[in-house]
Structures are given as C-alpha cells and as structure tokens.
Amino acid sequence: FAGFLLLVAGVLAVMSGAAFLAVGGLADQFRFQGIDAAIIDFVTTSSAIVGAVLVVAGILELLSSLGIFGHRTWGRLLGMFVSLVAIVGSIAAAVWANGLGEVRLTWEGTTVIAGTMTERLSIPAVPLVSYAIVLLCLLVGGAHFRLKEVQADS
C-alpha cells in the first residue's frame, strides 16, 4: 500500500514539476503590460525552483516505490525519509496557511468570505495524512523487508 501511494505521489510530483518548469520557460514568450519586470522575473525564477524540487522529489518517490515493490530495505528507508520530509513540509505549510487571514470579496453587493481556517488547513492536511499513512505502513511492515531463511526439504 505504501509503495502504491508513493508511486502515485511520485507521478503527480514529476508531472507538477514539469508543469512548473514549462510555465517558467513559457513566461519569456509573452509580453506582460503593466506588470513590473522584477515581478515577472520573480515568478519565473520561483516556478523554475519549485519545478526542479518537485521533479527531484518525484523521482525519489518513484525510486522508493520501486524499492518497496521489490522488497528492498533501501526502498523502505528512502520511503521513510521522503515521508518524513513531506510530513515536516506539510506541517510547515499548515502553520504558514494558518497565519493567513480571511479574504473578503465583494462584488455587486455580495460578499464572499474565502480562506476560512478549515479551507486554509485542508490543503496541507491531505499530504500530511497521506505521508503519515505511508510512514506508518513502512514502520509497521519492517518484518516484511527482512531476509528470511529458506528451509530445505528433508
């Protein structure tokens, strides 16, 4: 189960990273009127950095899932490391998101409140729970990765 979750997360991370890299590369093809060039440079540089990090993280997740499917100890350890890093990142994202305030949008007399605490914390909660399940599965399933002696038939 942990290998499957890491496989799905790895594919999504590689695809998302490729999309961020593509956005960073395509931004030079457009002319933005009324937007400061420093902001455009910041967005393109940030998207390139985020894209590269996502691609590397996705490759690590894919490698760990292959190791887990092959019952390799290195796959289990790599999966535990990736899960721990993702859990720490999700907690940091939840703390950051909780510090954001509500956004009130008013249009033609109607006010919409966006960004309530539940909405802000629901996005980092999904990877937090997913990677916690992966980590729990890999911790509990440790005996599954140990070498077993084969007894010869008498």
Side-chain angles (χ1 to χ4, degrees):
F1 186 70
F4 178 73
L5 285 177
L6 285 171
L7 178 70
V8 171
V11 168
L12 290 175
V14 169
M15 289 173 44
S16 301
F20 271 102
L21 289 171
V23 166
L26 290 175
D28 295 335
Q29 305 297 324
F30 297 102
R31 292 186 184 192
F32 298 97
Q33 296 178 353
I35 300 176
D36 188 19
I39 294 174
I40 296 170
D41 289 339
F42 173 74
V43 169
T44 55
T45 303
S46 298
S47 66
I49 292 170
V50 169
V53 168
L54 282 172
V55 167
V56 170
I59 290 171
L60 288 175
E61 288 173 336
L62 290 173
L63 283 174
S64 67
S65 71
L66 290 176
I68 290 169
F69 288 140
H71 303 282
R72 304 287 188 234
T73 302
W74 62 264
R76 178 177 175 245
L77 294 175
L78 183 60
M80 289 168 59
F81 173 74
V82 167
S83 296
L84 281 173
V85 170
I87 288 170
V88 169
S90 296
I91 290 171
V95 169
W96 174 76
N98 193 34
L100 299 175
E102 290 182 350
V103 177
R104 295 181 182 269
L105 305 171
T106 304
W107 185 62
E108 294 184 1
T110 303
T111 301
V112 176
I113 300 174
T116 62
M117 187 173 70
T118 304
E119 293 167 347
R120 291 190 309 260
L121 295 179
S122 62
I123 293 175
V126 172
L128 177 65
V129 170
S130 301
Y131 284 109
I133 290 171
V134 168
L135 183 62
L136 183 64
C137 288
L138 292 175
L139 285 173
V140 171
H144 185 71
F145 290 90
R146 291 192 187 95
L147 291 175
K148 297 177 180 93
E149 293 183 23
V150 178
Q151 296 179 354
D153 291 333
S154 311

